[in-house]
Amino acid sequence: MKLASPWAPRLAPGDEPPFERLAGALADDIAAGLIGPGDRLPAHRDLAWRLGIGVGTVTKAYARLEQRGLVRSLHGRGMFVAGTSTMGTGSIDLGINAPPQMLSDRLLQATLAILAKRLDAETFGAYSHPAGQPEHRRLMARWLAGRGVDAEPDRTLLTHGAQHALAIALTMACPPGTRLLTEALTYPGALLVARQAGLEIVGLAMDEEGLTTDALAEALGADHGQRRVLYVTPTLHNPTTATMSAERRQAVARLCHAHDVIIIEDDVYGIFAPPGVRPLASLAPERTFHVAGLSKALSPGLRMGALVVPPDCVAEAEARLQASCTMASALQGEIMRIWLTGGTAEAVASSIRADAVRRSALAAERLPKQAGLKVNGGFHAWLPMATEAADRFVARAALRGVALMPARAAMADPSAPEGGVRISLGAPTIAQLGQALDILSDLFRPGRPVLV
């Protein structure tokens, strides 16, 4: 006798097609532990009848979940939860900005099985073009085009992750003596590369959309006889979560064109861009180094970055790539090809977006309103506060078992009086995240000596 499914059927809210809402609801409840490994899912016809949808819709939703490795089909028995990965015990890490885990052992094993058949020893053992194999570059360019980047394959260089792409871009655009303009709060990895290169870093004022055009215009209008380069994150800014409107991006592009300033656009969170909002690389392709990658969009284990360079910079960029890594990884490129051509990439990215929205909502719900939390549907949140208070907050969270990024790591000027704390929401399980958020919330209770 077949056991009944323990799952209470539902569709996730939203305007997506019914199969995506069904897949989203099941994925959410699997992640939350409401249905566990080995649990049976409802039969196709029964679920279709209970939700008032077509059997084909159920089939499509189950196929999407099976593609992600969240469920498995046993011939003659039905569909079952395959199980998901969990983190170990101990300190809960909200310091590393990783996407929610949407891959499973089953999906990874299937990928490696396909890889073993496709990648022969001769190809693996040969040197290839420094910027990647032509087919891999073409696929990356197509992925970026889906996010509004006008990226011809010959201007799209593959790198060992977006951090590598960013380092190449900064090295090319910023010779010694360059003044690097950026947001007052910005990605710590970019600050680390810039400081190691001895660049002068100038942090510019921000508002709810990120870098302000007034601050940029003022900085560009003051001619100090130095080369100026702008490093900026227009979509889901790290750490503040701000996203530039289309109008703001156009204004930034116009200012940089008027002052002949090179732009380094960090677009690693491009999958979170609002519909119809174009990246700076499509507004000013002749002066923009566009940095992207798949680690934040799909999985940190896929160390495949992309650097789209202005047309007249291709040869130099390829030479710098060859000097820094000899060649792009054919192994990583083949994994990328399997995921991009088989539908896995879009399915995983869609699931990451949906889960990130859920985690953002959980953070907004658990932290008190007086915290002033900033969330924007991504997998990190921002707590603005005075810098010294932020230092104490991070230290006290660590004592309670919650690891956070050092408060000053994202500050262009670490001595500035105002900063905040980034909360990375993606890496822990939902249960661990809820536990950590409750601990952080407790630090805001009256009498806690955190914010004084």
Side-chain angles (χ1 to χ4, degrees), residues 91-105:
S91 176
I92 303 174
D93 192 345
L94 303 188
I96 298 178
N97 215 26
Q101 176 60 271
M102 290 297 155
L103 300 177
S104 67
D105 291 344

Side-chain angles (χ1 to χ4, degrees), residues 68 102-103 107 297-299 343-353:
R68 287 176 47 194
M102 290 297 155
L103 300 177
L107 175 58
L298 301 178
S299 173
T344 296
E346 288 294 349
V348 170
S350 176
S351 298
I352 286 175
R353 285 191 295 266

Side-chain angles (χ1 to χ4, degrees), residues 71-107:
V71 303
R72 69 184 189 278
S73 176
L74 298 181
H75 182 68
R77 296 181 58 195
M79 193 74 72
F80 296 83
V81 176
T84 56
S85 302
T86 59
M87 294 176 60
T89 58
S91 176
I92 303 174
D93 192 345
L94 303 188
I96 298 178
N97 215 26
Q101 176 60 271
M102 290 297 155
L103 300 177
S104 67
D105 291 344
R106 180 186 171 96
L107 175 58

Side-chain angles (χ1 to χ4, degrees), residues 30-301:
I30 291 170
L34 299 179
I35 42 177
D39 283 345
R40 179 186 297 278
L41 300 186
H44 290 60
R45 292 187 181 279
D46 178 59
L47 184 55
W49 178 80
R50 294 171 71 180
L51 293 177
I53 57 179
V55 174
T57 297
V58 177
T59 301
K60 204 170 180 181
Y62 280 2
R64 172 66 61 87
L65 293 169
E66 191 167 19
Q67 185 181 52
R68 287 176 47 194
L70 295 180
V71 303
R72 69 184 189 278
S73 176
L74 298 181
H75 182 68
R77 296 181 58 195
M79 193 74 72
F80 296 83
V81 176
T84 56
S85 302
T86 59
M87 294 176 60
T89 58
S91 176
I92 303 174
D93 192 345
L94 303 188
I96 298 178
N97 215 26
Q101 176 60 271
M102 290 297 155
L103 300 177
S104 67
D105 291 344
R106 180 186 171 96
L107 175 58
L108 184 58
Q109 289 163 4
T111 299
L112 295 178
I114 297 171
L115 183 64
K117 295 177 181 178
R118 284 191 180 178
L119 188 63
D120 57 80
E122 183 176 355
T123 302
F124 179 76
Y127 284 103
S128 61
H129 193 281
Q133 296 180 8
E135 174 65 6
H136 297 162
R137 296 172 73 176
R138 184 187 68 79
L139 286 170
M140 178 63 85
R142 189 173 71 180
W143 168 266
L144 295 176
R147 279 135 195 87
V149 185
D150 300 325
E152 297 87 358
D154 62 353
R155 292 198 298 118
T156 304
L157 287 66
L158 301 183
T159 63
H160 290 276
Q163 181 69 20
H164 183 206
L166 177 58
I168 294 291
L170 283 167
T171 302
M172 287 186 64
C174 302
T178 297
R179 173 172 288 199
L180 184 66
L181 308 178
T182 187
E183 302 98 336
L185 296 156
T186 192
Y187 170 50
L191 292 175
L192 181 63
V193 174
R195 286 170 179 148
Q196 288 182 344
L199 302 179
E200 179 186 355
I201 303 170
V202 180
L204 305 180
M206 305 174 66
D207 61 13
E208 67 280 356
E209 288 190 25
L211 175 69
T212 70
T213 51
D214 286 347
L216 179 59
E218 182 178 355
L220 295 179
D223 186 1
H224 296 273
Q226 289 177 280
R227 177 181 174 86
R228 282 88 51 90
V229 171
L230 175 65
Y231 167 71
V232 64
T233 306
T235 297
L236 202 66
H237 175 263
N238 181 4
T240 69
T241 80
T243 291
M244 285 187 182
S245 65
E247 292 76 17
R248 178 72 59 88
R249 295 174 195 233
Q250 290 164 357
V252 168
R254 284 195 298 269
L255 280 169
C256 290
H257 177 78
H259 292 272
D260 194 23
V261 167
I262 293 294
I263 302 169
I264 300 175
E265 178 182 29
D266 194 332
D267 198 40
V268 295
Y269 302 103
I271 64 168
F272 295 99
V277 176
R278 300 166 65 194
L280 293 171
S282 68
L283 301 174
E286 80 289 350
R287 66 183 61 257
T288 301
F289 289 82
H290 183 85
V291 174
L294 299 181
S295 296
K296 303 294 188 187
L298 301 178
S299 173

